[in-house]
Amino acid sequence: MVSATHPQRVVVLGGGILGVSTAVHLLRGGASVVLVTEAELASGATGRSLSWLNSAGARSEPYHRLRTLGVDRYRTLFAQDPDREWLRFDGGLFWDVPGRATTTEERHEHEKSHGYDSMLLKPEQIAEVTPGIDPAAVEDVAVFNPGEGWVSLPHLVEHLLEEFTERGGELVTRAGRSHLLADGGRATGVRTAGGEVHQGDAVVVACGAATPSVLAEHGVVIDNASPVSMLVVTGAVDHGVSTVLNTPRAAVRPNPGSTLAVDHDWYEESIVEQEDGTFTIDESVVQELLDEASALIEGAPHLAADTWTMGYKPIPGDGEPVFGELERIPGCFVAFTHSGATLGLIGGELLADEVLTGRKHPLLETFRPERFEQ
């Protein structure tokens, strides 16, 4: 554990939403912060996240509680400026493959059982609660969650960076693959690919899917189940959709500039990793995904890809978040989770509190890194 007096200088490794959020919260708490990222800010998973803000479906109660608090922090941010184009709360709509109405109904009942706002809808009822959806795309029933939303994480990172800069944070981009440094078993800083050393009283490792490999260099085991994923952003289109759609063949959300962000997992095996670490996919698969998305929308507008980006989606081996200080390497704190968007603000807040105070936060009790070594 760090001492009760907060560290004077903290090195944060990772320029995604968790790294940037933690850095800003550390600066708010009085620490000096240097933020080191492999390439540019939001160039990893943060830049290709559907970033649906939710705690829908079934998961452990501690995880559900943390996610609902995560959504709450976004609501606070939203209330400060409800006209932001990159943060909206217009609900989420889910339906399963045909013939699984019972499973969808059970999902709805589970959500209701712990007070999550959930509505079970027949296809003809969808237009009453959210616009722009073709009811013919839903063969059985759907679940609408009015309290859910979405965020464009690159826009959020840009917003947080303004405060980061105003508070005197130091930013190091294009550092390449960096390494955690430790002396006498304690974290002391980070060494970049070019050999530059940034020393600190504490280090936060928030490198997305690369987090387990960074820590493995020091013998720390964190199971990694991160798959390859893709996010497609369309060109501007008159679509009329306001909610997030989670459906059997396409997940869709509105995006700034009258565009749509689209992803799913059925095409993961079509993504090819090249020897240089980049990824490729046949453009016909990209268009097939967009055609699936178009079929969900009233009027079936033609959707054309403006960009598509691929890489590893951070998912710990057991699906639960990983937060907290390493027992094996005091002074090193970890943030690694699938729900980086939903937990982006609350995760950075709670982890920064642990760094600054030396006290373990009870909300992170079940998410400690050591569970993978038991």
Side-chain angles (χ1 to χ4, degrees):
M1 296 290 292
V2 294
S3 65
T5 302
H6 68 69
Q8 294 300 304
R9 181 175 173 84
V10 183
V11 183
V12 178
L13 183 58
I17 182 55
L18 283 170
V20 174
S21 173
T22 304
V24 169
H25 282 95
L26 286 166
L27 288 165
R28 291 175 183 173
S32 171
V33 177
V34 55
L35 177 62
V36 181
T37 184
E38 181 177 6
E40 299 294 341
L41 292 174
S43 60
T46 289
R48 55 177 185 271
S49 170
L50 191 71
S51 46
W52 169 31
L53 305 177
N54 78 96
S55 189
R59 53 182 50 84
S60 71
E61 280 303 312
Y63 193 11
H64 171 68
R65 182 166 59 250
L66 191 62
R67 289 176 70 114
T68 56
L69 291 170
V71 174
D72 171 77
R73 295 304 189 270
Y74 279 103
R75 287 196 169 280
T76 300
L77 181 62
F78 177 76
Q80 294 170 1
D81 183 0
D83 293 327
R84 287 189 175 114
E85 189 185 22
W86 48 266
L87 175 62
R88 307 300 304 168
F89 281 95
D90 297 305
L93 187 66
F94 164 88
W95 68 85
D96 211 332
V97 297
R100 299 194 63 181
T102 299
T103 301
T104 303
E105 291 165 357
E106 290 173 351
R107 176 191 181 104
H108 165 65
E109 290 300 326
H110 172 75
E111 291 174 349
K112 286 179 58 181
S113 72
H114 56 202
Y116 197 69
D117 199 356
S118 182
M119 302 168 62
L120 189 66
L121 303 175
K122 296 178 180 178
E124 61 271 20
Q125 296 175 305
I126 292 174
E128 299 175 12
V129 297
T130 188
I133 312 303
D134 185 350
V138 187
E139 294 194 21
D140 294 319
V141 291
V143 173
F144 182 66
N145 303 113
E148 295 177 351
W150 61 270
V151 61
S152 171
L153 288 179
H155 286 83
L156 175 58
V157 166
E158 182 180 357
H159 171 76
L160 291 174
L161 187 63
E162 293 179 6
E163 182 177 353
F164 177 87
T165 302
E166 291 171 357
R167 291 183 179 273
E170 178 185 351
L171 177 63
V172 179
T173 61
R174 296 190 175 277
R177 180 178 171 81
S178 299
H179 304 270
L180 171 67
L181 298 178
D183 184 25
R186 183 176 184 83
T188 59
V190 164
R191 184 180 67 248
T192 69
E196 185 177 4
V197 173
H198 299 276
Q199 295 184 324
D201 304 299
V203 177
V204 175
V205 179
C207 302
T211 297
S213 62
V214 170
L215 300 176
E217 295 176 358
H218 293 265
V220 175
V221 176
I222 294 181
D223 292 348
N224 191 355
S226 302
V228 177
S229 67
M230 174 178 71
L231 183 76
V232 182
V233 176
T234 72
V237 60
D238 184 13
H239 55 76
V241 176
S242 61
T243 190
V244 180
L245 302 177
N246 184 0
T247 81
R249 293 283 292 179
V252 184
R253 69 158 168 82
N255 197 56
S258 297
T259 63
L260 292 168
V262 188
D263 79 354
H264 213 273
D265 59 8
W266 55 261
Y267 50 76
E268 288 176 358
E269 293 184 358
S270 299
I271 301 175
V272 179
E273 185 170 7
Q274 306 297 319
E275 291 184 1
D276 63 358
T278 61
F279 298 87
T280 59
I281 191 170
D282 193 288
E283 290 188 29
S284 65
V285 180
V286 177
Q287 190 57 53
E288 183 179 357
L289 173 64
L290 293 184
D291 291 344
E292 295 283 0
S294 174
L296 309 175
I297 302 171
E298 190 174 23
H302 174 68
L303 302 181
D306 183 50
T307 63
W308 59 92
T309 52
M310 293 166 285
Y312 285 98
K313 177 188 297 184
I315 300 181
D318 59 3
E320 296 273 298
V322 182
F323 284 111
E325 187 177 21
L326 296 175
E327 292 180 0
R328 185 189 291 265
I329 311 174
C332 179
F333 295 77
V334 180
F336 175 42
T337 181
H338 170 44
S339 47
T342 300
L343 300 186
L345 298 179
I346 189 67
E349 175 187 328
L350 298 183
L351 193 62
D353 181 75
E354 291 200 348
V355 176
L356 293 170
T357 67
R359 297 190 299 268
K360 291 185 176 181
H361 199 288
L363 285 171
L364 303 181
E365 179 64 29
T366 65
F367 307 127
R368 301 294 168 187
E370 284 67 36
R371 69 181 187 268
F372 296 103
E373 299 186 355
Q374 297 176 356

